[in-house]
Amino acid sequence: MTTQAHTSQLSATRGGINWQRVTAVMRKDWLEVARNKQVIASLVAVPLVFAVLLPAAIILLGGSGILTSTIAGLQGFLDNLPAGVAPSSYTPDQTIVYAVIVYFLAPFFLVIPVMTASITASSSLVGEKERRTIEGLLYTPLSNRELVLAKVLGSMIPAVVLTWLAFVIYTVIVGVLGAPMMGGIFFPTWTWAVLIVLLVPLVGFLATSLIVAVSGRSTTMQGAQGTAMFVVFPILALVIGQATGLMLFNVTVALIAAAILAIADVLAFLLVVAKFQREHIVTKL
């Protein structure tokens, strides 16, 4: 029995991380989120807009001119759309729907993991402070790396899963509503494959790491949530770049962004762990 327990402990701590302790903290955080109906409602709101309302409205109203007058940057995007982006056989209305569904809305899907992570991650340490449970957590055997990793993954995983679910819903709506109008299935594309598989987890990890870092020093959840704007700004730059014709969010742009984000994720996590000070948090209680 002793040998088995020792082997189990060595397996759990492989790579310097005790994954049993990490997953225990993650499960605790998920239960806290599940009990908060206000948080659940907030988590559903953002994907509902991007995965349901926007694609349905674009397909149903794409050629009417209503959307171009209500969605900021959309008319500029259509005016600067490079030739050959959509199949040459498409009508003007079909080209509008194709371009908006495939290209214009792609960067907006990166907002979902950022906003979701901002809601869950901001409550990681700040929420622990408000619930008066942070002191007990800080005195557990978890190392700083394990504690930060648990908080980051505990918020990133729900953000990624929720975004993937939103993508599935988006794909179904585009297929059901768009196929009759477009003459067949035209979505998803390779750009979206890179976005969903690579960019969404990388963006979610970066946003969560930054928010967890600020949560250790913030006294309110709103202050911690404001950190997410640092990740939203580059996403808005992609939207503006498309609207002004500077670039198109294609596979090349997506892969370059993924490479940059991978490096940023590693640096951000190492920096957060290095700057994480339990004594400072305890003295601020």
Side-chain angles (χ1 to χ4, degrees):
M1 292 294 293
T2 304
T3 303
Q4 291 178 348
H6 181 66
T7 303
S8 176
Q9 184 177 6
L10 287 176
S11 177
T13 57
R14 189 176 299 164
I17 299 292
N18 187 312
W19 287 102
Q20 292 179 350
R21 295 199 292 247
V22 171
T23 53
V25 175
M26 291 166 58
R27 285 195 298 267
K28 180 186 72 67
D29 287 349
W30 291 341
L31 289 175
E32 291 291 343
V33 171
R35 294 191 189 104
N36 193 325
K37 295 181 180 180
Q38 184 177 359
V39 170
I40 295 297
S42 300
L43 294 178
V44 173
V46 175
L48 179 65
V49 172
F50 291 117
V52 179
L53 299 182
L54 279 180
I58 287 165
I59 293 172
L60 297 176
L61 304 172
S64 66
I66 297 176
L67 291 175
T68 55
S69 61
T70 55
I71 299 180
L74 181 54
Q75 186 60 59
F77 165 74
L78 295 173
D79 292 340
N80 294 292
L81 194 65
V85 168
S88 58
S89 59
Y90 278 178
T91 66
D93 286 354
Q94 288 175 323
T95 300
I96 291 174
V97 171
Y98 180 89
V100 176
I101 291 294
V102 173
Y103 292 102
F104 186 77
L105 289 184
F108 287 98
F109 253 73
L110 296 177
V111 175
I112 298 178
V114 174
M115 299 306 294
T116 303
S118 71
I119 295 171
T120 56
S122 60
S123 65
S124 61
L125 292 177
V126 178
E128 297 273 9
K129 293 177 184 179
E130 294 178 349
R131 294 188 296 269
R132 299 296 181 181
T133 58
I134 184 65
E135 189 170 3
L137 182 64
L138 294 174
Y139 286 122
T140 59
L142 281 93
S143 66
N144 286 350
R145 179 179 296 182
E146 290 169 349
L147 182 54
V148 171
L149 184 62
K151 291 299 183 179
V152 171
L153 292 182
S155 294
M156 187 206 78
I157 291 175
V160 171
V161 170
L162 189 62
T163 306
W164 285 350
L165 179 60
F167 169 71
V168 172
I169 297 173
Y170 183 87
T171 303
V172 171
I173 289 178
V174 169
V176 172
L177 298 180
M181 175 188 179
M182 308 293 285
I185 299 296
F186 66 96
F187 186 86
T189 63
W190 284 111
T191 300
W192 278 81
V194 176
L195 184 148
I196 295 300
V197 175
L198 295 180
L199 287 181
V200 165
L202 291 172
V203 166
F205 190 92
L206 179 60
T208 309
S209 297
L210 295 177
I211 296 168
V212 168
V214 175
S215 295
R217 301 176 181 271
S218 298
T219 56
T220 63
M221 293 170 63
Q222 290 78 9
Q225 288 175 347
T227 309
M229 291 306 298
F230 289 103
V231 183
V232 172
F233 286 146
I235 297 173
L236 295 178
L238 288 174
V239 177
I240 295 172
Q242 290 195 127
T244 56
L246 293 176
M247 63 178 177
L248 196 67
F249 191 76
N250 52 25
V251 174
T252 302
V253 173
L255 288 174
I256 293 173
I260 295 173
L261 280 170
I263 297 173
D265 282 356
V266 174
L267 295 177
F269 179 75
L270 294 177
L271 183 62
V272 172
V273 173
K275 296 294 184 180
F276 188 81
Q277 298 178 355
R278 298 185 184 218
E279 297 80 5
H280 178 80
I281 297 175
V282 172
T283 56
K284 293 294 182 180
L285 294 178

